[in-house]
């Protein structure tokens, strides 16, 4: 049974960058006749793997504590008073799925499991690299089997497609198997330190030489892909990560050695980036004042957007949580993050928290939600990654 759980987890890691799923379109998944992806209940292949993992390792019921009761009350009230309770109910079920995954990782991860997972992540980088290069040079999606891995059909004439102009020439930004180049860049730069860390520790003679080659090759490809996506944040984070590993004396080894200083810097950055995507962030603040304690309902932010604006979440995970779950929900999230940062594996989590100031995908899209859950689980595990 333990071996089967490990195989399922390996499959989950291998298919982590993909988004093969079955979408459902009930009436409440539409706004003004338009399909809203964020509202669509979807069964992803990766969901199936997590559910199978759950039934093979049904977790014991924890001893109820005061914060458990507070959480259950928050969830119940958030759904009950949501402006679209069906969406909030679905989103909270997803939160339960991701919480279980983080719990499973924290209890079952081992050095061997982590090493194999790093190899599988690196292998995923190789596949994404092939797809990215193909998309970049042929100026369109590749199709074929990649469609089933989540590649969207597009070409240079597709409305709303991400483009960039370099030296007067227009380029189509590659998507890989993700919904946007920025999401792919964020995913890759988050796993980048995990791969680099394994390369540093991979001196055991028992490790096969070709596995080291996969790790090294993927570590070279991640910066190249980040540049090709033309994601400014992705390139910035990738550059800082490279400096951190190559010139460690430039950075404090423990970013929480001085918690007050760390959170002061974090708060200053947060206030600086609020004007980015101001229209959406301003709406999040307005939603908060309408219902400051419980929010408008988990996952329903796009419903509060006026006509004429793209129906999408606020591009700041903290304002998004404040809007959808109120002060109580955001406070519980920040307490969890604070406690997690006291553990190991801080760098990937800090990357997620930083990227979350500028975009919402770590809380709203399947691939990055799963990655966030796994990073949280790794941080709470007793294994020193």
């Amino acid at each position: 049974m333990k071996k089967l759980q490990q195989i399922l987890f390996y499959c989950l890691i291998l298919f982590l960058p993909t988004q093969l799923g079955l979408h459902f379109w009930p009436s409440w998944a539409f706004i003004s006749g338009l399909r809203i992806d964020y509202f669509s209940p979807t069964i992803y292949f990766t969901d199936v793997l997590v559910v199978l993992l759950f039934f093979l390792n049904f977790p014991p019921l924890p001893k109820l504590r005061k914060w458990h009761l507070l959480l259950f009350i928050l969830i119940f009230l958030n759904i009950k008073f949501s402006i679209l309770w069906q969406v909030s109910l679905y989103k909270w079920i997803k939160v339960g799925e991701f919480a279980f995954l983080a719990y499973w990782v924290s209890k079952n991860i081992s050095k061997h499991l982590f090493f194999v997972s790093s190899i599988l992540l690196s292998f995923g980088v190789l596949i994404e690299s092939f797809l990215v290069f193909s998309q970049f040079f042929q100026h369109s999606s590749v199709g074929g089997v990649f469609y089933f891995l989540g590649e969207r059909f597009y070409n240079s004439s597709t409305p709303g497609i991400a483009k960039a102009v370099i030296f007067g020439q227009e380029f189509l930004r590659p998507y890989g198997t993700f919904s946007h180049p920025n999401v792919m860049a964020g995913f890759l730069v988050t796993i980048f330190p995990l791969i680099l860390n394994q390369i540093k520790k991979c001196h055991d003679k028992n490790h096969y030489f070709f596995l080291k080659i996969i790790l090294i090759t993927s570590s070279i490809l991640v910066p190249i892909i980040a540049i090709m996506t033309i994601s400014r944040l992705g390139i910035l984070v990738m550059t800082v990560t490279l400096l951190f590993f190559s010139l460690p004396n430039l950075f404090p080894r423990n970013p929480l050695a001085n918690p007050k200083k760390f959170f002061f810097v974090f708060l200053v950055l947060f206030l600086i980036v609020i004007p980015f995507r101001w229209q959406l962030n301003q709406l999040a603040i307005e939603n908060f004042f309408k219902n400051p304690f419980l929010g408008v309902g988990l996952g329903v932010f796009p419903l509060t957007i006026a006509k004429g604006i793209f129906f999408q979440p606020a591009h700041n995970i903290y304002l998004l949580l404040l809007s959808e779950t109120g002060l109580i929900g955001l406070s519980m999230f920040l307490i969890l993050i604070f406690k997690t940062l006291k553990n190991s594996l801080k760098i990937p989590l800090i990357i997620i928290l930083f990227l979350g100031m500028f975009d919402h995908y770590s809380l709203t899209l399947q691939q990055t939600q799963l990655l966030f859950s796994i990073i949280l689980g790794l941080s709470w595990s007793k294994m020193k990654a």
Side-chain angles (χ1 to χ4, degrees):
M1 194 67 72
K2 195 77 173 177
K3 193 70 175 178
L4 184 55
Q5 290 181 48
Q6 291 181 356
I7 292 173
L8 284 172
F9 183 71
Y10 290 150
C11 289
L12 177 64
I13 295 297
L14 184 61
F15 285 92
L16 201 59
T18 68
Q19 51 175 338
L20 171 63
L22 178 62
H23 292 258
F24 297 91
W25 297 102
S27 59
W28 42 266
F30 292 77
I31 298 179
S32 302
L34 297 176
R35 287 181 171 184
I36 307 300
D37 287 348
Y38 299 108
F39 290 175
S40 171
T42 307
I43 300 176
Y44 291 96
F45 176 65
T46 46
D47 286 328
V48 176
L49 295 173
V50 175
V51 170
L52 289 174
L53 199 60
F54 176 82
F55 283 110
L56 287 175
N57 189 71
F58 197 87
L61 292 176
K63 184 179 179 181
L64 287 180
R65 299 179 181 177
K66 291 182 179 180
W67 73 268
H68 288 137
L69 182 59
L70 179 61
L71 178 60
F72 293 145
I73 294 174
L74 167 66
I75 293 173
F76 173 77
L77 294 177
N78 186 261
I79 295 171
K80 181 176 176 58
F81 295 105
S82 170
I83 58 177
L84 193 58
W85 69 267
Q86 297 94 329
V87 170
S88 294
L89 174 61
Y90 168 65
K91 296 298 182 181
W92 279 113
I93 291 173
K94 294 290 290 184
V95 170
E97 173 192 345
F98 300 134
F100 162 75
L101 178 59
Y103 172 84
W104 187 93
V105 172
S106 69
K107 297 298 182 182
N108 294 276
I109 199 70
S110 63
K111 288 186 177 180
H112 175 72
L113 195 66
F114 183 66
F115 176 74
V116 176
S117 299
S118 301
I119 295 296
L120 293 174
L121 280 174
S122 299
F123 187 73
V125 171
L126 300 183
I127 296 175
E128 286 292 328
S129 301
F130 170 79
L131 186 56
V132 164
F133 283 114
S134 300
Q135 291 172 345
F136 185 82
F137 289 109
Q138 72 180 40
H139 307 290
S140 69
S141 54
V142 176
V145 68
F146 292 108
Y147 171 80
F148 297 99
L149 296 179
E151 184 194 34
R152 306 286 179 89
F153 173 78
Y154 68 94
N155 53 44
S156 56
S157 61
T158 301
I161 203 68
K163 299 178 182 178
V165 178
I166 303 176
F167 300 118
Q169 185 174 355
E170 188 178 73
F171 290 92
L172 195 64
R173 297 171 63 189
Y175 280 60
T177 57
F178 293 81
S179 57
H180 195 277
N182 291 344
V183 182
M184 177 171 63
F187 182 95
L188 292 176
V189 299
T190 301
I191 68 172
F192 192 37
L194 301 179
I195 295 172
L196 291 177
N197 196 47
Q198 284 302 302
I199 293 174
K200 290 179 65 176
K201 294 186 176 182
C202 192
H203 301 304
D204 192 334
K205 295 181 180 179
N206 294 326
H207 291 150
Y208 293 105
F209 177 73
F210 75 90
L211 296 181
K212 298 179 184 179
I213 295 299
I214 291 177
L215 285 168
I216 294 172
T217 304
S218 65
S219 69
I220 295 172
L221 288 171
V222 167
I224 295 174
I225 298 175
I227 293 172
M228 292 177 69
T229 63
I230 317 179
S231 169
R232 288 167 291 185
L233 270 179
I235 294 171
L236 171 64
V237 172
M238 177 269 300
T239 303
V240 173
T241 303
L242 280 172
L243 290 173
F244 179 85
F245 278 87
S246 59
L247 301 171
N249 291 332
L250 291 178
F251 301 88
R253 301 309 295 178
N254 182 2
L256 283 180
N258 189 331
K260 291 183 180 179
K261 185 177 181 180
F262 175 84
F263 282 102
F264 174 76
V265 173
F266 190 84
L267 179 61
V268 170
L269 282 174
F270 175 76
L271 294 174
I272 290 174
V273 303
I274 283 182
F276 288 86
R277 303 302 293 261
W278 170 244
Q279 204 167 13
L280 290 170
N281 290 340
Q282 181 186 28
L283 181 57
I285 296 172
E286 291 174 0
N287 288 339
F288 161 68
F289 283 112
K290 290 177 183 177
N291 197 336
F293 295 104
L294 294 173
V296 295
L298 186 64
V300 303
F301 181 90
L303 189 61
T304 67
I305 297 178
K307 293 181 180 179
I309 307 176
F310 289 115
F311 296 109
Q312 53 184 303
H315 280 54
N316 184 305
I317 62 173
Y318 311 100
L319 291 178
L320 181 60
L321 279 173
L322 187 65
S323 169
E324 294 185 342
T325 64
L327 278 172
I328 299 175
L330 178 63
S331 298
M332 296 184 76
F333 175 78
L334 293 178
I335 290 171
L336 171 64
I337 294 301
F338 178 78
K339 289 181 176 294
T340 305
L341 282 171
K342 290 183 176 181
N343 301 319
S344 60
L345 209 72
K346 295 181 178 67
I347 303 304
L349 182 55
I350 290 175
I351 289 175
I352 291 174
L353 297 176
F354 174 74
L355 294 174
M357 293 185 182
F358 300 88
D359 219 325
H360 58 81
Y361 51 76
S362 60
L363 294 185
T364 56
L365 299 180
Q366 177 79 359
Q367 298 133 304
T368 39
Q369 286 172 321
L370 289 171
L371 180 60
F372 194 0
S373 306
I374 291 170
I375 295 299
L376 286 174
L378 287 170
S379 300
W380 281 97
S381 71
K382 294 182 180 180
M383 182 204 70
K384 293 185 178 180

